[in-house]
Amino acid sequence: MISFNYELDFKLDDEQLFSDWLSKVITSENKHEGEINYIFCDDNYLVEINQQYLDHDTLTDIISFDYSVGNELHGDVFISVERVVENAQDFDVTFEEELRRVLVHGILHYCGYKDKNEEDENLMRLKEEEKMKMFHVKQ
């Protein structure tokens, strides 16, 4: 089950659309959907988590905690909406596109993809692009 939680004045327009898409992404990686919680927050909230749990004192757009068991994905994905807004401007993409990128980024980490070196990061970007194409807005 994919759930969306909000620690600030932001809400996804169509949670079911995003949930269905992320479920398809999980299935496309031959994984099973467990309990995945997305928590939307601001920079300060995410910096506190970064300091408390990862001993990092930096801004970031996403932090994911992976509680997966075998092929069943479980975890908490914290997303700074402020970072997504700024990154969208920096990368010259829409907010919606950048939001989809970070949403799927967390799932891809749970699927085993890393981004700590250049080779892993390139593969992660390819997978993000592939999975983002699976997102379809209802007409």
Side-chain angles (χ1 to χ4, degrees):
M1 180 177 130
I2 296 173
S3 64
F4 301 101
N5 307 278
Y6 306 94
E7 295 293 330
L8 73 169
D9 188 24
F10 168 83
K11 192 164 186 331
L12 290 175
D13 286 336
D14 187 344
E15 290 181 353
Q16 192 63 51
L17 180 66
F18 286 93
S19 181
D20 290 347
W21 166 58
L22 294 165
S23 294
K24 287 179 196 165
V25 167
I26 291 166
T27 302
S28 75
E29 288 292 321
N30 297 312
K31 303 292 182 182
H32 303 285
E33 183 180 319
E35 222 176 287
I36 299 172
N37 300 299
Y38 282 91
I39 302 95
F40 295 95
C41 56
D42 62 16
D43 282 344
N44 290 335
Y45 191 100
L46 206 50
V47 165
E48 285 182 31
I49 290 172
N50 216 356
Q51 291 169 336
Q52 184 175 355
Y53 295 102
L54 303 175
D55 204 25
H56 297 154
D57 193 20
T58 57
L59 290 174
T60 187
D61 52 356
I62 180 174
I63 295 175
S64 57
F65 294 95
D66 188 354
Y67 312 124
S68 298
V69 179
N71 280 332
E72 188 170 276
L73 305 186
H74 298 270
D76 294 324
V77 181
F78 293 85
I79 296 173
S80 168
V81 175
E82 289 176 283
R83 286 299 95 224
V84 173
V85 167
E86 191 166 304
N87 287 346
Q89 293 168 347
D90 290 347
F91 299 133
D92 196 28
V93 297
T94 65
F95 169 78
E96 291 77 12
E97 182 177 345
E98 188 62 17
L99 180 62
R100 287 191 300 270
R101 182 176 311 282
V102 295
L103 285 165
V104 80
H105 185 90
I107 295 291
L108 290 171
H109 272 307
Y110 298 163
C111 291
Y113 297 97
K114 309 288 182 217
D115 56 5
K116 294 297 183 195
N117 63 47
E118 188 176 345
E119 184 180 343
D120 289 346
E121 192 172 316
N122 289 337
L123 178 58
M124 176 68 87
R125 295 295 162 262
L126 285 172
K127 282 295 187 177
E128 288 171 354
E129 292 297 327
E130 172 189 314
K131 303 309 181 186
M132 287 171 60
K133 289 176 183 169
M134 295 172 65
F135 184 88
H136 297 290
V137 178
K138 297 175 196 168
Q139 298 297 325

